[in-house]
Amino acid sequence: MAEIREGIQFIIGHPVLRVTILFWGATSVVTAGLVTALTVRVTRDLGLPPSAFGLIISTFGLGTVVGALWASRIRRGVAWPQILGGNLVRAVALIGVGFVASVELMGALAFAAGVASTLVLIAYITLRAAYSPDELLGRVGSTARTLSIGLQPIGMLATGVLIDLTSGSTTLIVMGAILAALSVVFLPSRGLRAASLDGK
């Protein structure tokens, strides 16, 4: 318990880790039910065959690979454009998927969302590791994962309720709008704007 408390106190007292983990936790909750909403959007709202859903998910996966390769080349500099900018691109892509009916356009947007999502994720993990002392690395990581994963059921429940009340399309648009709002809300954060990918 003392070690857990030490890790939590370190995160709360560190301006970069505090805001970065809070941002990632919030976006994780918002997108927890993303696959469910996308499934309903494609198969029920649009009445497309399962193969269309598989194609869209595959292009998202391809985008994550491209995003990982791209992120491997970004090793220095401030992190906020990658985190907030990537999150904003992901938001716009989700909103677009909620509106367009073409499988090709949805696939292109899913690809963009995959690239952006991976850029955000890798920047987040990089910052978390770069600003954590070696002796607290495990505790900081476990605390962060507990926050982001532990709260995801709330997001999944909210997604299910919203789908039942509206549709998969509307749910995706709402998700995208909230993600965009989070990018705007966290933009003025001094801790995030000062954060560097190399921890300096």
Side-chain angles (χ1 to χ4, degrees):
M1 291 299 295
E3 292 177 349
I4 293 172
R5 184 167 56 250
E6 184 180 6
I8 294 173
Q9 288 175 343
F10 182 81
I11 292 172
I12 293 174
H14 197 290
V16 173
L17 290 176
R18 181 177 64 242
V19 69
T20 304
I21 291 173
L22 181 61
F23 174 79
W24 179 256
T27 59
S28 296
V29 171
V30 172
T31 58
L34 174 58
V35 174
T36 301
L38 180 60
T39 304
V40 174
R41 160 69 172 158
V42 174
T43 61
R44 191 173 76 184
D45 297 354
L46 297 177
L48 296 172
S51 58
F53 175 74
L55 177 63
I56 295 168
I57 287 293
S58 297
T59 56
F60 177 85
L62 180 61
T64 63
V65 174
V66 173
L69 294 173
W70 184 3
S72 68
R73 298 178 175 273
I74 307 173
R75 301 179 181 179
R76 297 179 181 176
V78 291
W80 70 265
Q82 187 172 336
I83 291 178
L84 298 182
N87 188 63
L88 189 59
V89 170
R90 180 169 57 166
V92 172
L94 289 183
I95 293 172
V97 170
F99 277 112
V100 302
S102 164
V103 175
E104 291 78 12
L105 284 177
M106 285 191 287
L109 289 168
F111 177 82
V115 173
S117 296
T118 303
L119 286 173
V120 175
L121 173 60
I122 291 178
Y124 160 70
I125 294 176
T126 300
L127 288 182
R128 199 179 72 192
Y131 285 92
S132 299
D134 290 344
E135 65 273 14
L136 292 178
L137 190 59
R139 273 167 272 180
V140 169
S142 61
T143 301
R145 287 182 62 81
T146 299
L147 175 65
S148 60
I149 297 176
L151 295 178
Q152 282 187 3
I154 298 173
M156 293 178 182
L157 175 62
T159 298
V161 171
L162 189 56
I163 288 173
D164 284 341
L165 293 176
T166 58
S167 64
S169 309
T170 301
T171 303
L172 287 173
I173 294 169
V174 171
M175 279 185 186
I178 295 175
L179 287 179
L182 285 172
S183 288
V184 174
V185 168
F186 278 85
L187 181 60
S189 169
R190 292 182 179 179
L192 188 56
R193 289 181 65 85
S196 173
L197 291 170
D198 55 8
K200 298 179 181 178

